[in-house]
Amino acid sequence: MKILISSRAGRLPPGHKYENHPSVKVVPTDDLFRQSDFVSINCPLNAQTRHSVGEREIRLMKPTAFLINTARGAIIDEAALIRCMKDNVIAGAGLDTQEVEPPPAASEIWSLDNVFLTPHIGWRRLETRQRLVDMTADNIEAYIKGESVNVVN
């Protein structure tokens, strides 16, 4: 399997465990949308990422591709997604987060056969929660040792 990554830095962080992996490649965002069979959104919601996936990006995707969002709902322009899904631009979308949670009862997103909704529960698996506990313990241990972990500047 080939894994494509888009990053604002245009590269993985130095020393990242997949930095030189032969199956992992950092590409421009448009190339990622054009080439991927599955596009998974994994970024924070902020002024730069709000509606950063819209009709233009979805129309770049293969008609057999799936768009998956487990990050934040407003990263995808939901009105544009609904239009594209009604036109069968891509094969499907899996949304663990929506722009408004839950979507209004009148939202067309409920009636689309090619959109799969979950109630923002991706984090609820035991493995995910255990990883969170482990990361918290690692962060505390690193702090006690005077090391910096997960620093946001």
Side-chain angles (χ1 to χ4, degrees):
M1 172 173 30
K2 294 179 184 175
I3 299 172
L4 301 179
I5 298 171
S6 178
S7 169
R8 289 177 295 202
R11 60 174 172 71
L12 290 173
H16 190 281
K17 69 180 181 178
Y18 294 116
E19 183 178 22
N20 296 308
H21 194 285
S23 296
V24 177
K25 184 177 179 183
V26 178
V27 298
T29 304
D30 283 358
D31 291 350
L32 183 139
F33 279 100
R34 281 187 194 103
Q35 297 174 30
S36 298
D37 295 311
F38 297 89
V39 174
S40 178
I41 308 297
N42 302 285
C43 62
L45 176 62
N46 56 41
Q48 285 121 355
T49 62
R50 179 175 297 280
H51 287 185
S52 59
V53 178
E55 190 161 345
R56 187 186 79 78
E57 290 74 20
I58 296 167
R59 288 192 179 280
L60 291 174
M61 296 173 71
K62 299 174 184 179
T64 55
F66 284 81
L67 180 62
I68 301 166
N69 188 5
T70 59
R72 294 290 180 247
I75 293 169
I76 297 176
D77 178 345
E78 199 164 284
L81 176 66
I82 290 169
R83 284 191 304 274
C84 289
M85 300 313 291
K86 286 170 69 175
D87 291 344
N88 294 306
V89 172
I90 60 174
L95 308 175
D96 188 50
T97 63
Q98 296 84 43
E99 198 160 353
V100 175
E101 293 180 352
S107 174
E108 291 180 276
I109 201 143
W110 293 110
S111 63
L112 297 170
D113 291 336
N114 52 358
V115 176
F116 304 90
L117 302 174
T118 60
H120 206 158
I121 58 168
W123 63 273
R124 292 208 49 190
R125 291 185 45 97
L126 177 59
E127 295 86 352
T128 304
R129 288 181 282 145
Q130 184 61 55
R131 192 175 320 125
L132 180 62
V133 169
D134 292 344
M135 288 173 59
T136 301
D138 291 345
N139 286 342
I140 292 168
E141 184 178 332
Y143 177 78
I144 291 169
K145 291 178 180 178
E147 299 171 358
S148 299
V149 178
N150 299 325
V151 177
V152 178
N153 292 322

